[in-house]
Amino acid sequence: MANITKKVSWSSRADESGAAGEGTPLLNGSEQPKLSRQDSLRGRPKEIPHNEKLLSLKYESLDYDNIENQLFLEEERRMSYMGFRCLEISRWVVCGLIGFLTGLIACMIDIVVEELAGIKYQVVKENIEKFTEVGGLSISLILWAVLNSVFVMLGAIIVAFFEPIAAGSGIPQIKCYLNGVKIPRVVRLKTLLVKVFGVICSVVGGLAVGKEGPMIHSGAVVAAGVSQGRSTSLKRDFKIFEYFRRDTEKRDFVSAGAAAGVSAAFGAPVGGVLFSLEEGASFWNQMLTWRIFFASMISTFTLNFFLSIYHNNPGDLSNPGLINFGRFENERVAYNLYEIPLFIAMGAIGGLLGALFNVLNYWLTIFRIRYVHRPCLQVMEAMLVAAVTATVSFTMIYFSNDCQPLGPEHTEEYPLQLFCADGEYNSMATAFFNTPERSVRSLFHNQPGTYNPLTLGLFTLTYFFLACWTYGLAVSAGVFIPSLLIGAAWGRLCGILLASITSNGSIWADPGKYALIGAAAQLGGIVRMTLSLTVIMVEATGNVTYGLPIMLVLMTAKIVGDYFVEGLYDIHIKLQSVPFLHWEAPATSHWLTAREVMSSPVTCLNRIEKVGTIVDVLSNTSTNHNGFPVVAQVAGSDEPAKLCGLILRSQLIVLLKHKVFVELARSRLTQRKLQLKDFRDAYPRFPPIQSIHVSQDERECMMDLTEFMNATPYTVPQETSLPRVFKLFRALGLRHLVVVDDENRVVGLVTRKDLARYHLGKHGLEELQLAQT
Amino acid sequence: MSLYKNSAFFVLSLIYIYALVSSDGANITISYAADKLKVIPTLSPAVVVPSPVFNPTVLDSFVSLNLLSTFPEDQEISEYCSELLHIFGQRYVAYVNCLVPAARPVKVCLNCFSTYDSLIVTYNNISSDKMGPGNVSCRDSLLRSDRLMLVYLLYSNVDSLWTKSNCDHCINKDPPSLTNDTVYFMSTLNQTLTCFEKHQQGNQTELCKSCKTIYRSVNELYGRMEKNQTMCIDIEDAMNITRKLWSKTYNCSFPREETVPVIAVSSFMLFLPIIFYLSSFLHSEQKKRKLIHPKRAKSYASLMNIQDKMS
């Protein structure tokens, strides 16, 4: 037992991370001396290599809790009935705008990718055709690799050097944002631009990526921008939607934006709403859901409308989604009861493969965080991946003997002949020499017999490793499409094998149907989403009867996968050291009480406090606190004082900036009274304390916080159990929870990081460490 | 009642034609079908002319039905319409007769466009809403009087065949003739085939070398036509056969002969990431995280607590 407890303690943390050091010998070497002197080192900052069991200090909570101070009450009193009605209407307008803009962005990405990729593939195709004849195909290979690398280089440079937060799919970040974590710069205009440009580059660059995940992030940024009625980056203020300039309102719009993004990406409005509910919005109500749905619908149909214009049949609204799975409607793809066990088995395979994918990607990501952290290295890595992707694809195509006759309807966009007979094309090339989305569609819908099993097997294998290698690069790109593609390939393989086992089986085992099931299983195994993914898949295929098999497959994939490792997004959230609050507190934590969880002692402020004290407290870099309990004046400094309110750093900064000092108020009676608007104007980028100048005289002034503090903060007694505190936090979206004793005296403060550090590991309850990142 | 009678009779008369045509298509030799064709002109009037007498020796199976066909005169279709119907039947048979031998290799457009055209002219006559003699429109009486709508069905069959084979792309509308593109393509193709034939006896590599230019030109021409959408099934099929001859029979496809350079370049490319990761592992400074010790009330006590409760 003693062994186990040692794992839990603070001091043995380094030991554990060293032991679980992912086989990097350097770690142990650097850790050993510190271990021996650990007790003497207590208090001094200790350095350890990055691992998943850390919480970063750079992430803070969002202020979802409404600050009910006197200013707020006054404003509410002043507002008329009409005012509230107008607010409600403007919420709808904002949601409509979010949907429209998100759809527009999706449409733009789609068109640009299609055009650019078209040019690229045309150039490479012509080159290959030329060199097939006269010899020198290795030049085509180099051309392809260089083209890919150049595009990816552009995308990687802009991400790595300008906005690293735009890397990856953005879903983990949005998930964190909606969970209540303020990820720096995640919803800025610059991020959106980098994201859109980056995703175009990486898809055109032929990486094993999709543009669906970034759409969700883009939708969220659009929402956060539109709802504020201004852009801080462009320094433009349209003086509209001022009421929405706070975290609570913004969060609701961001969840609408994420939903709009999903719905534009997959043509799945309901799936988008459910995604928002499942992944993000811990806080929702009927009206909000309805508004989110509105935004989703608008977004899908904006996309449809503009794509219909692009495809030269304006007004046709029935071509939804960036990824179009095509229609599964004819009787060939009907399924039967006896196929359900087969589907479930495929779900289990998907779970296993997904877990393998996640584990590999986890190791790779740790390596990247530790060693490939410099921007220029990241750009180089991305370029290498692009070049290798092209090389592997080319080699596969070159050595493939699978030739298929050209179909009459020309579903193949860029058929490559190479060494096939005239009038035939290389079947491997349809899978590799194409944007991933088209490959998915051709795997779903091409006639039985279009691919032979060897081609599919090789394709699955290579693409699996390529996709795994690609995710986590410093390019903005999603993992949805690669997962679907891997799954569709081995699913189709299953279908073909099943059909060949049974003598007359080709009738029931349609490979397209199995490709769909495989795709669902693989995606479910990697991202472990349940409800929303089912609905998204059902909506994207446009066939409700697939609901049952897809649901069963996703359930199986999740159960099997969760046995081994978490979902990909959760892994990345952990590796980012984000203080993420899950739905429930860790199971065996009831014996922990608020007294053990809380931070203590607390920096408190008096109701009427000296400006100098406030400035000192705020400037203290070692304790970057954000909320300060306001207490009634006490004489002794060590004695805990009675709680009478809570005030935030951001409020104090605004107060200091406007110099709301008692002495000044007396001398200048005409001074304008501070309003809630002044706080909103400073939102969301409150200036740092260093930029506020306070003269020596002013330091002696006093500040009266009574009017501005939240007079009724949530409090808990010291004996409250951790799950109870957790529930309060999660359900109310709190940022600070004051722990008081039986006389309402402040004894501690619980924040998000205090709660998020407990998690259930292999050895029971474990604590995460705080670290500067 | 009258409508019913009318249509019943009409159906009867059509079944006969249909039986003839379909049996031709199925398994009766063409000469036999041609014989039957000659019979029709003498028979048809017997069916449609308002006389209750049928020739029992020819139409044994209809004997029992004879009674049904005694319609009052005004419910019959007009002479004009029956004449149209008759012509339609004739031309239909002629077209089908042309189609069947043209099935393999496909020549349905090039060989049969004239018969198709005449068939369409007849059908257009039937379906036009112009009044014929006696102020009757044959469109209603022939095309829409019953559920089966046989004439329309037959026509739409042929029409879909025509559309499916894209014959419009090879055939000029007025007057019906082959398009210039088609003629040119066919002549180039024939040259290619002649070339193939000439060199068939000799070495195959010889054939590949000497027919390469002409084959290439026909291939390019085909590619252009494919892009312009100016080709029909006949051209596609002819090209397919030629390509098969070229690639499979004479084995003139490109050989895979640069395996070594491709492998060399790819292994070089695959080698790069290994170098990259190794060098960044060895040379890059490992990123370290500074641990922060948060303020805790009796943090040791809480640890003790954990220990107590865990054990």
Side-chain angles (χ1 to χ4, degrees):
Chain A
M1 221 55 282
N3 237 343
I4 297 170
T5 51
K6 195 160 179 289
K7 295 273 184 206
V8 185
S9 67
W10 280 106
S11 47
S12 65
R13 181 65 36 184
D15 173 304
E16 194 182 309
S17 67
E22 284 75 50
T24 42
L26 280 182
L27 301 184
N28 283 334
S30 64
E31 282 308 307
Q32 233 74 53
K34 283 184 182 171
L35 266 178
S36 54
R37 292 180 291 132
Q38 49 181 295
D39 284 331
S40 62
L41 275 173
R42 177 163 286 282
R44 270 169 55 192
K46 195 169 63 170
E47 287 198 341
I48 60 159
H50 185 87
N51 63 50
E52 59 163 15
K53 289 176 182 165
L54 291 174
L55 289 181
S56 170
L57 275 189
K58 83 177 165 192
Y59 300 114
E60 288 169 2
S61 275
L62 290 163
D63 295 303
Y64 287 166
D65 189 30
N66 203 2
I67 304 157
E68 282 185 13
N69 53 17
Q70 290 180 18
L71 295 184
F72 175 80
L73 293 177
E74 269 169 39
E75 188 188 73
E76 199 176 79
R77 220 175 293 133
R78 272 203 309 275
M79 237 159 112
S80 61
Y81 172 72
M82 271 312 288
F84 281 105
R85 293 299 296 270
C86 285
L87 267 185
E88 192 58 28
I89 290 167
S90 50
R91 280 199 185 102
W92 282 93
V93 172
V94 169
C95 279
L97 273 175
I98 290 168
F100 179 75
L101 290 177
T102 310
L104 216 57
I105 288 174
C107 179
M108 191 199 81
I109 292 179
D110 196 41
I111 291 174
V112 174
V113 164
E114 199 164 302
E115 294 293 327
L116 282 180
I119 294 171
K120 188 192 92 177
Y121 285 118
Q122 206 58 46
V123 166
V124 177
K125 187 185 167 202
E126 274 163 20
N127 192 279
I128 288 180
E129 274 167 5
K130 198 171 97 198
F131 284 118
T132 316
E133 201 184 325
V134 299
L137 272 174
S138 42
I139 297 172
S140 316
L141 161 59
I142 293 170
L143 175 78
W144 189 0
V146 166
L147 273 180
N148 272 8
S149 299
V150 167
F151 278 117
V152 171
M153 184 183 74
L154 290 178
I157 284 178
I158 192 169
V159 169
F161 285 101
F162 294 101
E163 198 54 274
I165 201 78
S169 77
I171 295 179
Q173 284 90 333
I174 295 305
K175 217 174 145 171
C176 292
Y177 185 92
L178 292 176
N179 187 267
V181 185
K182 181 187 208 163
I183 309 276
R185 304 191 309 283
V186 76
V187 287
R188 290 211 184 155
L189 181 66
K190 188 171 149 201
T191 313
L192 176 68
L193 294 178
V194 170
K195 193 110 206 166
V196 169
F197 184 75
V199 77
I200 290 172
C201 285
S202 48
V203 176
V204 173
L207 290 177
V209 296
K211 52 188 190 272
E212 278 63 22
M215 251 341 283
I216 295 163
H217 191 173
S218 308
V221 182
V222 166
V226 168
S227 63
Q228 302 302 297
R230 70 169 169 194
S231 162
T232 328
S233 312
L234 299 181
K235 304 204 166 45
R236 285 288 298 275
D237 192 341
F238 297 100
K239 305 271 178 204
I240 45 170
F241 308 138
E242 281 171 339
Y243 186 81
F244 302 142
R245 292 176 190 174
R246 53 196 173 129
D247 283 337
T248 326
E249 295 283 350
K250 200 160 152 185
R251 169 198 66 204
D252 290 353
F253 290 118
V254 167
S255 54
V262 175
S263 110
F266 297 96
V270 183
V273 175
L274 292 177
F275 174 86
S276 271
L277 297 187
E278 183 179 337
E279 292 298 321
S282 331
F283 325 93
W284 57 288
N285 57 43
Q286 182 201 4
M287 274 320 280
L288 175 63
T289 315
W290 185 223
R291 269 204 304 274
I292 294 178
F293 186 68
F294 173 70
S296 302
M297 247 343 163
I298 295 283
S299 142
T300 309
F301 283 91
T302 309
L303 177 68
N304 287 354
F305 180 70
F306 285 101
L307 279 188
S308 73
I309 292 176
Y310 174 65
H311 294 305
N312 282 330
N313 43 354
D316 174 22
L317 293 184
S318 52
N319 181 30
L322 283 189
I323 161 108
N324 193 345
F325 287 177
R327 296 279 162 240
F328 283 82
E329 268 164 358
N330 53 5
E331 69 281 2
R332 260 195 321 125
V333 293
Y335 63 96
N336 216 319
L337 187 63
Y338 56 77
E339 293 182 78
I340 297 283
L342 288 174
F343 292 157
I344 292 178
M346 286 176 75
I349 298 175
L352 284 176
L353 285 178
L356 180 66
F357 186 101
N358 291 358
V359 168
L360 291 178
N361 194 264
Y362 166 77
W363 288 339
L364 195 60
T365 311
I366 288 222
F367 182 86
R368 278 179 179 146
I369 293 176
R370 286 186 189 168
Y371 294 103
V372 195
H373 46 76
R374 281 203 307 235
C376 49
L377 282 182
Q378 289 174 339
V379 172
M380 267 172 72
E381 191 191 13
M383 285 172 66
L384 280 177
V385 174
V388 169
T389 307
T391 310
V392 169
S393 314
F394 188 89
T395 321
M396 285 285 171
I397 294 171
Y398 185 87
F399 288 106
S400 163
N401 281 323
D402 185 7
C403 294
Q404 301 291 345
L406 276 170
E409 63 270 10
H410 279 294
T411 41
E412 296 78 27
E413 195 84 351
Y414 317 104
L416 275 185
Q417 187 186 352
L418 278 163
F419 310 113
C420 289
D422 283 0
E424 295 190 342
Y425 65 90
N426 190 310
S427 165
M428 190 67 100
T430 45
F432 272 120
F433 195 66
N434 227 333
T435 53
E437 284 164 40
R438 282 187 197 283
S439 309
V440 171
R441 216 178 312 163
S442 65
L443 281 170
F444 283 166
H445 289 291
N446 278 7
Q447 298 296 315
T450 318
Y451 297 92
N452 73 26
L454 184 68
T455 308
L456 285 176
L458 279 174
F459 177 75
T460 309
L461 198 69
T462 45
Y463 214 80
F464 182 87
F465 289 109
L466 282 179
C468 189
W469 189 22
T470 309
Y471 189 77
L473 283 180
V475 293
S476 56
V479 76
F480 264 78
I481 296 297
S483 319
L484 285 174
L485 193 48
I486 298 164
W490 63 256
R492 200 171 171 105
L493 188 65
C494 286
I496 293 173
L497 294 183
L498 279 174
S500 64
I501 294 168
T502 49
S503 53
N504 57 347
S506 56
I507 299 142
W508 58 274
D510 175 67
K513 174 174 60 182
Y514 282 85
L516 176 69
I517 297 296
Q522 183 67 59
L523 186 54
I526 290 176
V527 302
R528 308 284 163 73
M529 279 149 55
T530 46
L531 170 63
S532 53
L533 194 55
T534 310
V535 176
I536 287 172
M537 294 290 285
V538 168
E539 281 187 288
T541 52
N543 191 334
V544 181
T545 56
Y546 276 133
L548 179 74
I550 289 178
M551 182 190 75
L552 290 175
V553 159
L554 288 176
M555 276 166 92
T556 330
K558 185 171 167 60
I559 291 168
V560 172
D562 278 347
Y563 182 77
F564 298 100
V565 68
E566 293 170 285
L568 188 63
Y569 296 142
D570 293 317
I571 288 178
H572 277 261
I573 287 174
K574 257 193 182 169
L575 285 176
Q576 293 294 316
S577 316
V578 179
F580 190 86
L581 291 187
H582 293 274
W583 294 105
E584 297 279 340
T588 59
S589 59
H590 282 270
W591 50 269
L592 275 171
T593 60
R595 195 193 300 119
E596 285 135 343
V597 173
M598 71 192 183
S599 308
S600 174
V602 187
T603 317
C604 293
L605 296 176
N606 287 320
R607 190 194 282 269
I608 296 173
E609 185 65 271
K610 224 169 90 182
V611 173
T613 323
I614 293 179
V615 172
D616 288 342
V617 165
L618 291 183
S619 324
N620 188 346
T621 45
S622 67
T623 57
N624 193 22
H625 296 314
N626 256 298
F628 303 94
V630 179
V631 292
Q633 203 98 24
V634 282
S637 57
D638 274 357
E639 192 75 2
K642 282 200 175 162
L643 177 73
C644 59
L646 186 82
I647 195 152
L648 300 177
R649 168 183 287 261
S650 58
Q651 290 175 303
L652 289 174
I653 283 179
V654 174
L655 292 180
L656 285 176
K657 204 172 126 197
H658 287 89
K659 308 211 183 297
V660 190
F661 307 143
V662 179
E663 285 78 5
L664 288 184
R666 274 185 209 136
S667 61
R668 284 185 289 166
L669 285 170
T670 51
Q671 191 190 21
R672 186 176 66 92
K673 205 159 168 298
L674 211 58
Q675 283 181 346
L676 217 49
K677 188 177 173 304
D678 298 301
F679 291 95
R680 286 198 193 118
D681 282 343
Y683 177 86
R685 298 186 206 173
F686 296 104
I689 181 71
Q690 287 79 14
S691 72
I692 289 167
H693 180 73
V694 179
S695 69
Q696 208 57 43
D697 287 347
E698 283 168 340
R699 283 180 69 89
E700 297 304 316
C701 294
M702 303 299 275
M703 239 160 88
D704 188 358
L705 305 178
T706 319
E707 236 184 316
F708 309 105
M709 68 185 188
N710 182 2
T712 53
Y714 292 98
T715 57
V716 285
Q718 299 178 63
E719 304 307 322
T720 324
S721 70
L722 173 64
R724 217 164 242 276
V725 175
F726 198 96
K727 245 178 223 148
L728 259 179
F729 240 79
R730 187 77 165 93
L732 299 175
L734 295 185
R735 183 168 184 179
H736 305 101
L737 185 60
V738 186
V739 181
V740 292
D741 64 4
D742 44 9
E743 285 171 59
N744 203 26
R745 289 182 304 202
V746 181
V747 289
L749 194 68
V750 178
T751 58
R752 173 175 282 267
K753 283 176 205 115
D754 296 325
L755 291 175
R757 68 195 159 112
Y758 295 100
H759 84 127
L760 209 52
K762 287 191 198 85
H763 311 285
L765 204 59
E766 292 179 359
E767 267 188 57
L768 305 177
Q769 287 169 295
L770 287 179
Q772 198 121 40
T773 54
Chain B
M1 189 61 200
S2 64
L3 181 71
Y4 165 72
K5 274 184 184 171
N6 191 4
S7 59
F9 178 72
F10 177 57
V11 166
L12 250 182
S13 61
L14 282 176
I15 284 172
Y16 178 64
I17 294 174
Y18 191 66
L20 274 178
V21 171
S22 63
S23 62
D24 280 353
N27 50 12
I28 298 171
T29 60
I30 293 158
S31 59
Y32 177 65
D35 283 350
K36 281 243 168 147
L37 241 177
K38 282 173 205 144
V39 178
I40 291 173
T42 57
L43 270 178
S44 297
V47 179
V48 285
V49 159
S51 102
V53 187
F54 277 86
N55 187 349
T57 55
V58 181
L59 295 165
D60 277 340
S61 56
F62 285 92
V63 172
S64 55
L65 300 172
N66 263 352
L67 292 173
L68 261 177
S69 50
T70 53
F71 292 121
E73 249 174 66
D74 57 327
Q75 296 301 325
E76 305 291 336
I77 56 171
S78 71
E79 197 130 354
Y80 170 71
C81 291
S82 75
E83 189 58 35
L84 272 183
L85 193 61
H86 173 199
I87 298 169
F88 180 77
Q90 271 181 320
R91 293 187 170 172
Y92 200 93
V93 171
Y95 180 55
V96 171
N97 275 337
C98 173
L99 280 183
V100 174
R104 256 347 290 176
V106 184
K107 292 276 178 224
V108 290
C109 303
L110 302 189
N111 288 3
C112 306
F113 68 89
S114 52
T115 43
Y116 175 77
D117 189 66
S118 51
L119 178 68
I120 293 303
V121 168
T122 323
Y123 181 79
N124 285 344
N125 279 343
I126 293 176
S127 64
S128 74
D129 46 5
K130 250 190 351 223
M131 294 296 171
N135 250 359
V136 255
S137 165
C138 294
R139 187 174 59 162
D140 290 343
S141 67
L142 291 183
L143 293 186
R144 307 178 173 174
S145 306
D146 54 292
R147 181 164 63 86
L148 192 60
M149 306 201 291
L150 186 71
V151 175
Y152 173 73
L153 209 64
L154 290 172
Y155 164 76
S156 67
N157 232 338
V158 170
D159 187 58
S160 73
L161 201 80
W162 184 262
T163 329
K164 222 176 183 176
S165 20
N166 281 336
C167 287
D168 278 336
H169 294 156
C170 297
I171 311 291
N172 284 328
K173 267 261 152 63
D174 240 358
S177 64
L178 297 180
T179 58
N180 294 340
D181 281 351
T182 316
V183 174
Y184 180 62
F185 177 81
M186 278 305 177
S187 72
T188 327
L189 192 74
N190 281 339
Q191 283 172 37
T192 318
L193 292 177
T194 341
C195 177
F196 283 0
E197 237 164 71
K198 209 164 65 187
H199 294 89
Q200 212 163 20
Q201 259 59 47
N203 196 351
Q204 275 192 357
T205 49
E206 188 70 21
L207 183 143
C208 291
K209 220 177 265 171
S210 43
C211 299
K212 193 173 176 182
T213 34
I214 182 76
Y215 174 76
R216 183 69 54 76
S217 71
V218 82
N219 218 359
E220 267 166 25
L221 183 61
Y222 180 79
R224 271 207 302 282
M225 291 172 80
E226 201 174 22
K227 224 173 258 165
N228 299 342
Q229 304 257 321
T230 53
M231 55 174 201
C232 50
I233 182 76
D234 296 19
I235 293 180
E236 279 174 50
D237 187 63
M239 192 65 216
N240 260 350
I241 294 170
T242 320
R243 280 176 163 176
K244 239 176 231 161
L245 277 175
W246 175 259
S247 319
K248 299 252 163 89
T249 317
Y250 304 130
N251 246 336
C252 297
S253 298
F254 301 113
R256 182 179 301 164
E257 50 194 14
E258 333 163 40
T259 314
V260 176
V262 167
I263 287 183
V265 172
S266 1
S267 29
F268 171 71
M269 291 280 196
L270 295 179
F271 198 56
L272 285 179
I274 299 175
I275 299 174
F276 173 80
Y277 283 117
L278 265 182
S279 69
S280 55
F281 177 71
L282 295 176
H283 298 299
S284 185
E285 186 189 340
Q286 191 181 161
K287 197 160 225 177
K288 295 278 170 102
R289 305 295 187 200
K290 267 192 208 124
L291 290 190
I292 307 284
H293 293 290
K295 296 186 290 183
R296 294 266 174 261
K298 321 156 215 160
S299 83
Y300 277 107
S302 89
L303 281 177
M304 294 304 289
N305 243 332
I306 291 179
Q307 286 182 10
D308 289 346
K309 279 159 186 168
M310 294 293 283
S311 50

